[in-house]
Amino acid sequence: MKALTFYGKRDLRYEDVEIPVIQSGKEVIVKVKAAGICGSDIARYRNLGPYVPGNIWGHEFAGEIVAIGPEVENAAVGDHVACCPTLVCHQCSYCQGGHPAGCDSLNTIGAYAPGAFAEYVRMPSSALVKMPEGMSFEEGALSEPAAVAIHGLYQTEIRMGYEVAVVGCGNIGLMCIAWAKAFGAKKVYALDISDTHLKMAEHFGADVLINTTDKDFYEVIREYCDGVDLAIESAGNPYTAARVLGLPHKGGEVVYMGIPYADVAVPRFYFEKIMRNELRVKGSWCTVSAPYPGKEWMNAVDYIGNHKVHVADMISHREPLSKGPELFERIIENPEAFGKVMLCPELDG
């Protein structure tokens, strides 16, 4: 089969690899129908390189089951499924204690295990969520970034009437805006340095758009309110990771969802907000909870698949898998020209 294999920084190849086969009774083979390019993929491609050189890349995907192991009870050949890419052992104290996100052996396909930028991928049946009738494979692939946002919101006390600030309106930020509204947020402030991103944020439900170029986070939010109930850092930028602490009111919350790929230097003014304002600061990692893969996944697939939350408009490009290496370079050269990019193996014919 054809796949995208990742060998080094800016070294992604479209080449022939072995078709995966079932190795245990509880595994399935999924024919990949749509696989999304994640912002973390771009950062790793440009800056860090692969975890395992030559591994098949990609982790946001949905597809159709084409083979099942003899012990699989929750799926059948022909099922359309969204797939949780985060793999856990189910045996360690964290998994047994109901916190699989802390699994001692946590792994993600595309990192150390073969991923979804391929025609077929092997998955444990426990990682599958059956898609409702009428849900597109592209919507199924969007369940993963949706689950990232939902998992992060579950770390907070968000409730009906909350005012929320979302810092960074890329794809995860857009998901945070859409799902904050679904959780009952009364008002969402979108903060970004890109007017293009802010326009999309408005489309996804943001009530107030703030271009923060050369603006102090503490001062800019107080032009509108005395601070928000919840601030979400979804930019993954060292600058915003420090200054997001200035957005909540006293006793408010901050949740970190973005991954900064550099050290975060926090000015004293912002750091002291944690103590003086008695902020509740939480981190959010991956997408899973108990029972695995968790209510994040069940709700993401349900709400997207049954059109309770609309997220498909973030898709800007649908391209053959073979164009993957070219697309990564184009995204680096002109990131504002791209929203969510879906790679579809069947478009290669």
Side-chain angles (χ1 to χ4, degrees):
M1 69 173 182
K2 293 291 188 180
L4 296 181
T5 48
F6 191 27
Y7 286 89
K9 286 189 286 187
R10 301 182 82 155
D11 185 3
L12 183 64
R13 307 176 194 178
Y14 178 67
E15 59 186 7
D16 289 306
V17 300
E18 293 292 327
I19 296 176
V21 296
I22 290 171
Q23 296 180 352
S24 81
K26 295 183 179 181
E27 291 181 336
V28 305
I29 303 298
V30 178
K31 182 177 178 62
V32 177
K33 297 288 189 174
I37 295 177
C38 177
S40 66
D41 294 335
I42 299 299
R44 183 157 285 280
Y45 174 80
R46 180 180 53 206
N47 300 325
L48 300 174
Y51 293 95
V52 178
N55 189 37
I56 301 171
W57 213 17
H59 62 274
E60 299 179 3
F61 80 105
E64 180 180 347
I65 297 175
V66 295
I68 64 173
E71 299 174 36
V72 173
E73 298 178 348
N74 65 322
V77 171
D79 283 353
H80 293 184
V81 290
C83 303
C84 173
T86 304
L87 309 179
V88 300
C89 72
H90 302 287
Q91 303 298 322
C92 70
S93 61
Y94 291 102
C95 287
Q96 291 290 308
H99 185 54
C103 175
D104 289 331
S105 303
L106 187 140
N107 190 7
T108 301
I109 66 165
Y112 296 96
F117 289 156
E119 294 182 80
Y120 299 92
V121 61
R122 182 178 67 248
M123 294 293 296
S125 61
S126 59
L128 309 179
V129 181
K130 189 173 180 179
M131 294 160 48
E133 187 174 349
M135 185 178 191
S136 72
F137 289 112
E138 291 173 349
E139 289 174 320
L142 288 173
S143 297
E144 196 278 342
V148 170
I150 297 169
H151 184 78
L153 289 170
Y154 280 151
Q155 311 308 309
T156 76
E157 297 185 9
I158 188 171
R159 66 195 70 173
M160 187 179 296
Y162 251 44
E163 294 198 356
V164 177
V166 177
V167 181
C169 298
N171 291 322
I172 295 298
L174 296 179
M175 284 291 189
C176 290
I177 292 167
W179 290 98
K181 285 288 190 174
F183 273 61
K186 176 178 69 175
K187 184 177 288 187
V188 175
Y189 300 85
L191 290 75
D192 204 291
I193 59 173
S194 164
D195 288 333
T196 300
H197 286 179
L198 289 171
K199 185 176 294 185
M200 282 297 291
E202 183 176 32
H203 181 75
F204 276 74
D207 301 285
V208 180
L209 312 178
I210 305 173
N211 189 311
T212 55
T213 303
D214 299 325
K215 291 184 178 179
D216 179 277
F217 275 34
Y218 181 84
E219 297 295 338
V220 72
I221 201 68
R222 281 158 183 80
E223 295 175 12
Y224 302 91
C225 63
D226 189 39
V228 297
D229 300 293
L230 168 64
I232 299 170
E233 205 295 317
S234 54
N237 180 287
Y239 181 89
T240 58
R243 286 155 181 82
V244 70
L245 296 166
L247 295 175
H249 57 59
K250 294 178 181 180
E253 298 182 87
V254 176
V255 63
Y256 285 92
M257 297 193 204
I259 304 171
Y261 288 95
D263 292 341
V264 177
V266 184
R268 177 181 174 183
F269 175 83
Y270 288 102
F271 184 80
E272 285 194 344
K273 297 301 176 189
I274 300 173
M275 297 169 291
R276 295 182 183 276
N277 288 353
E278 295 192 335
L279 300 182
R280 288 164 290 170
V281 180
K282 294 283 289 188
S284 180
W285 185 245
C286 74
T287 65
V288 294
S289 63
Y292 175 87
K295 57 187 177 179
E296 298 89 336
W297 278 90
M298 303 307 162
N299 285 329
V301 172
D302 175 25
Y303 275 63
I304 295 173
N306 290 302
H307 307 110
K308 302 171 189 176
V309 173
H310 301 275
V311 295
D313 284 350
M314 70 173 55
I315 300 171
S316 63
H317 294 71
R318 298 163 175 86
E319 299 286 353
L321 185 66
S322 59
K323 287 195 175 180
E326 168 194 337
L327 282 163
F328 271 85
E329 288 296 323
R330 287 170 56 195
I331 293 169
I332 288 174
E333 291 169 5
N334 187 13
E336 293 223 356
F338 295 85
K340 175 62 69 176
V341 177
M342 288 290 170
L343 298 176
C344 306
E346 291 183 343
L347 292 181
D348 283 295

